[in-house]
Amino acid sequence: MLFLDFARTCEQLEKTAGRLDMIEIISRVLPGLSDEELPVFVRFVMGRIFPDWNSRKLGIGPNILYDAIRSVAGVKKAVVIDRLNKSGDIGGTVEELLAVKTQMSFSHNDLGLLEVYNQLVSISAKEGEASQREKMRTAMLLLGDARPLEGRYLARIMLEELRIGVGEGSVREAIAKAFNVDSALVEHAMQALNDMGEVARLAKVGPDALKQVSITPFHPVRMMLAQQGSIADMIGEHGELAAEFKYDGSRFQFHKKGNWARLYSRRLEDVTAALPDVIEQLMSATDHDVILDGEVIAIKGGKPMPFQSVLRRLRRKHDIAEAKEAIEMVPNVFDILYLDGETLIDLPFSERRKKLVDVVTMFIAPQTTSSDQAAIETVYENALAAGHEGIMIKVPASPYTPGQRGKNWIKIKPEVDTLDLAVVGAEWGEGKRAGVFGSFLVACQDQGRLITLSRVATGFSEEQLAEVYEMLKESVIKKTGKEVTFEPSLVIEVGYAELQASTTYEAGFALRFPRFIRIRDDKDLADIETIEGIRARYQRQANSTRAYQD
Ligand code: AMP
C-alpha cells in the first residue's frame, strides 16, 4: 500500500461523520492488505504506531516537527507557528506548507506504508545526545518526499494524534466485517493481546486463530477498572461478594518468567527501574511464571502514606537506593491473569483467587467473601480505620476483562467531590510564581474531544508548581500573551465545592472553588471525567439541595 492511499483513506474517514460509514470504509480496505501491511494500517488508522502493550514512544515533540517542516518547506519557524496558531491543526499546517513547496518542485519518491512505518520505528530506537538531530533528519526525509495530503497525516502520526475520529470500537467492527468473524471474538482477542494490529492479522487467518489467543508475558494487558455503586445493590444482584481493601497507591502489573521480571504501571509503562524493591518482594513470593495484578502502597511507621509518595517514587530516575531507604513500598496482589503458560482471564474470579493463593506466598490482599451486608460494611469500616481509601467489591463469578470499567468491580469510598481533568492551557505566574505557570485551564471529555471546564489556581505548593512546570514545559504548542496552550497529556485531580451552570467554559459548567489536589500521571486522557459524568453529578447535587430544602 502506498502511504498516499493510506492518506486518502484518512481524508475520506475525516469527512465521514457516521460510525457505520467509517466501519464500511475501513472494512473495505483491510482484505487488500498484505500480512505485513495489515497490522501497520490498523494501528496507523487509530493514530498509533506501536502495539498498545508497548509503551515505546516515537519521541518527536512538536518542536522537532516544526523545525523539520520549516526546513523542508523553506520557511521561517515563525511562519509555521503563526499558521498553526490560526488553524490549531498541525496536519493542516503541514499540508498547506507542502502545497506551496510542491508548486515549485515536482520530484517525489513514492512513500510506501511500510517504508514510513520502518522509518518511524528506526526513529524511536534512537537514543542519546545526537538522537534529536537524527530524529529531525528522518522527519525531514519523510516530509521531503510527502505530497501535501500525505504530509497532513504524516505530521499527525508523528505526534501520535491522528484525530480522524476512528476509535477502537469502529476498528474492531471493521475487522469483524472484513474477515467475517464475530466482533466479540475480536474484542476478546484484543483483551488478551492488547494490539489491534495483531488481532487483525489473526482475524484474517480465521476464527480459530482468534479463539486460541493467549497472554504473552512482558506484553502487558490493560487493567480491569471499577465503577461506583452500592453494597446493597451488589448483594441484591449477585448474593455473595468478595470484598477487599481499596489501597490508595499505584496500580501495577507484575510479569515474571523464570528469573526475569518486569513491573508495569496503570498506563502500561515499564516502571521496573523505579521499584526494584517491589520486584524483589514479588520475586521472593513465587517460583512460578505469573502475571499478577495489584496496587503498591507506601508505608511509613506502619501506616499507609498518601498516594503522592508512590507517584513521586515512580517518576524518580535517580537515587532510587536512597528513596528505597526512606519509605517502604508494599505490593498488594489481588488478581492473577497468567500462570505457567496458561491464560486465566476467562476463569471466574473465585477460581483465579484459588490459584493465586496456591502459587503466591506473600503480599496477597486479604479478602472477605459474604452475602451479608453488615459483614461487608465491617470490612469497609476496617479499611477506613486502617487508613485505606475504602473497599472494592467484586463478583466471584466474573472473568477478568482488561480495559473495561464494568459492573463486576465496584468501588465503595466516602463521597469526595473531585474530578480527574486534563490540563490544556495555563497562564504564566506573577510575583513569587514568575517563571512557572500560575493557573491552569482544565478540560473534561465529550466523546473523546476535550472541552474546557475550569481554571485552577489554588491548592498548589511552590514545589508542586515547579513540578507541574517541568512536566508541561515541553508541551507548549501555542503562546498568546500570558497564555499558553498545551498538547494535552497531563491529568490532575481537582477538588471543588459545587458545580455551577455557566457559559464561560465549553462544558457549560464551571467549578466553584476549584482546588488542585494532586497530579494523576498514572492516568491517561482517556481516563478523565466525561461530560455525562459531570451532568450526572450536577443532577445529584440538585437533588440533594432539594432534599435539604424540603
Ligand atoms: P479508581 O482509580 O478510583 O477508579 O479506583 C480503581 C483503582 O483502585 C484501581 O485501578 C486500583 O488502582 C485501585 N485498587 C486499590 N485496591 C484495589 C483492589 N483491592 N482491587 C482492585 N483495585 C484496587
Side-chain angles (χ1 to χ4, degrees):
M1 178 182 231
L2 289 177
F3 191 74
L4 184 61
D5 292 329
F6 169 73
R8 287 193 177 125
T9 308
C10 289
E11 186 186 32
Q12 203 186 351
L13 287 166
E14 204 172 354
K15 286 185 186 148
T16 306
R19 187 165 173 265
L20 291 178
D21 294 332
M22 287 187 161
I23 293 169
E24 179 64 31
I25 293 170
I26 301 170
S27 74
R28 267 192 268 126
V29 176
L30 299 181
L33 299 171
S34 72
D35 288 356
E36 289 77 37
E37 288 166 345
L38 184 56
V40 173
F41 175 90
V42 164
R43 289 186 213 123
F44 271 17
V45 87
M46 296 194 295
R48 297 182 195 149
I49 298 166
F50 303 107
D52 285 4
W53 56 260
N54 192 334
S55 59
R56 201 156 144 190
K57 290 269 174 293
L58 197 54
I60 293 195
N63 281 317
I64 297 190
L65 189 61
Y66 301 165
D67 275 333
I69 186 64
R70 170 191 67 76
S71 156
V72 168
V75 296
K76 293 211 171 74
K77 192 163 169 182
V79 175
V80 181
I81 305 278
D82 185 49
R83 287 194 181 220
L84 185 59
N85 280 350
K86 284 196 187 110
S87 71
D89 167 27
I90 183 65
T93 304
V94 169
E95 184 175 16
E96 279 174 27
L97 291 170
L98 288 181
V100 177
K101 178 205 150 213
T102 316
Q103 285 165 8
M104 297 184 285
S105 67
F106 292 99
S107 70
H108 275 293
N109 289 321
D110 280 339
L111 286 169
L113 180 77
L114 289 177
E115 182 191 351
V116 170
Y117 171 70
N118 289 334
Q119 290 281 8
L120 295 179
V121 171
S122 81
I123 288 183
S124 79
K126 296 191 162 89
E127 280 176 13
E129 291 239 323
S131 75
Q132 299 296 36
R133 228 174 310 124
E134 286 179 46
K135 284 183 181 186
M136 157 118 148
R137 235 185 31 154
T138 314
M140 276 171 58
L141 278 179
L142 285 171
L143 288 169
D145 275 334
R147 292 177 175 81
L149 187 67
E150 293 174 294
R152 178 187 183 92
Y153 297 106
L154 192 53
R156 293 202 200 153
I157 285 189
M158 283 181 186
L159 293 183
E160 297 183 64
E161 46 164 292
L162 190 60
R163 302 212 178 126
I164 54 170
V166 175
E168 191 180 300
S170 304
V171 175
R172 180 183 63 226
E173 298 306 318
I175 292 173
K177 191 164 183 190
F179 302 115
N180 197 19
V181 289
D182 186 353
S183 93
L185 260 186
V186 178
E187 168 64 17
H188 181 260
M190 176 61 190
Q191 290 186 355
L193 297 176
N194 206 7
D195 173 16
M196 203 53 108
E198 175 65 7
V199 170
R201 213 184 53 73
L202 294 177
K204 190 176 168 186
V205 178
D208 287 343
L210 281 177
K211 277 182 207 147
Q212 281 159 19
V213 292
S214 53
I215 298 183
T216 313
F218 312 113
H219 289 189
V221 301
R222 292 180 195 164
M223 312 273 175
M224 180 164 172
L225 301 169
Q227 276 188 9
Q228 277 165 347
S230 78
I231 299 173
D233 287 352
M234 283 291 278
I235 289 180
E237 202 169 327
H238 302 285
E240 191 171 72
L241 299 173
E244 299 161 2
F245 285 178
K246 183 173 192 304
Y247 304 95
D248 191 14
S250 217
R251 187 81 176 265
F252 70 78
Q253 203 174 92
F254 171 75
H255 289 223
K256 171 182 174 296
K257 190 166 185 192
N259 290 327
W260 186 248
R262 312 300 293 168
L263 203 65
Y264 301 94
S265 70
R266 178 185 160 129
R267 299 170 74 169
L268 310 188
E269 285 159 338
D270 188 330
V271 291
T272 311
L275 294 166
D277 35 356
V278 176
I279 288 270
E280 245 168 66
Q281 296 176 86
L282 291 171
M283 288 285 270
S284 70
T286 185
D287 292 330
H288 293 263
D289 292 348
V290 287
I291 298 179
L292 305 176
D293 187 5
E295 182 99 351
V296 52
I297 54 172
I299 300 276
K300 202 172 179 182
K303 282 229 166 266
M305 297 281 291
F307 143 102
Q308 210 61 31
S309 2
V310 185
L311 277 199
R312 214 167 286 139
R313 176 73 175 280
L314 278 175
R315 280 206 295 276
R316 205 169 178 127
K317 301 261 179 318
H318 309 289
D319 305 325
I320 304 275
E322 220 173 276
K324 233 168 81 174
E325 296 291 299
I327 293 179
E328 192 189 350
M329 293 286 161
V330 180
N332 296 279
V333 178
F334 46 73
D335 219 318
I336 180 164
L337 317 186
Y338 173 97
L339 174 61
D340 296 328
E342 200 191 337
T343 297
L344 308 181
I345 56 175
D346 297 324
L347 290 183
F349 180 42
S350 51
E351 302 274 318
R352 298 200 303 278
R353 175 88 191 180
K354 271 191 212 132
K355 292 198 188 270
L356 176 65
V357 175
D358 265 358
V359 300
V360 176
T361 56
M362 287 176 286
F363 307 113
I364 297 183
Q367 190 184 78
T368 304
T369 48
S370 174
S371 52
D372 172 23
Q373 179 154 347
I376 307 260
E377 276 164 3
T378 305
V379 182
Y380 177 66
E381 276 148 27
N382 292 344
L384 295 186
H388 299 294
E389 220 191 337
I391 55 169
M392 296 285 294
I393 44 181
K394 303 180 177 178
V395 177
S398 63
Y400 189 96
T401 44
Q404 307 227 326
R405 195 178 283 288
K407 289 207 161 103
N408 288 325
W409 284 16
I410 297 293
K411 52 188 170 189
I412 310 285
K413 53 184 185 177
E415 199 60 59
V416 275
D417 285 335
T418 70
L419 299 168
D420 293 329
L421 300 168
V423 183
V424 294
E427 195 169 292
W428 287 101
E430 290 175 345
K432 257 204 320 201
R433 293 181 170 187
V436 295
F437 304 125
S439 79
F440 298 86
L441 186 61
V442 290
C444 60
Q445 60 175 324
D446 180 8
Q447 321 262 347
R449 207 167 55 90
L450 295 180
I451 52 174
T452 54
L453 174 71
S454 179
R455 269 190 188 280
V456 187
T458 54
F460 298 93
S461 65
E462 298 309 311
E463 199 187 18
Q464 283 166 333
L465 279 179
E467 197 173 353
V468 172
Y469 175 73
E470 281 306 313
M471 296 175 87
L472 287 172
K473 66 178 184 196
E474 300 294 337
S475 316
V476 175
I477 49 172
K478 189 168 151 187
K479 296 180 184 162
T480 18
K482 287 180 66 61
E483 289 278 330
V484 298
T485 304
F486 299 118
E487 174 60 39
S489 61
L490 182 65
V491 178
I492 62 173
E493 190 174 332
V494 177
Y496 64 95
E498 202 186 347
L499 276 167
Q500 295 173 314
S502 153
T503 50
T504 312
Y505 299 103
E506 291 161 348
F509 294 98
L511 302 182
R512 197 156 161 252
F513 302 132
R515 187 169 41 91
F516 169 82
I517 306 284
R518 54 196 180 180
I519 295 171
R520 295 298 309 245
D521 55 353
D522 59 324
K523 293 209 169 180
D524 277 326
L525 291 182
D527 298 323
I528 65 171
E529 190 63 44
T530 60
I531 186 70
E532 289 84 12
I534 290 176
R535 284 192 197 116
R537 281 172 188 246
Y538 186 69
Q539 201 51 50
R540 276 205 297 274
Q541 182 184 299
N543 293 345
S544 63
T545 316
R546 224 168 290 135
Y548 179 72
Q549 283 164 347
D550 283 349

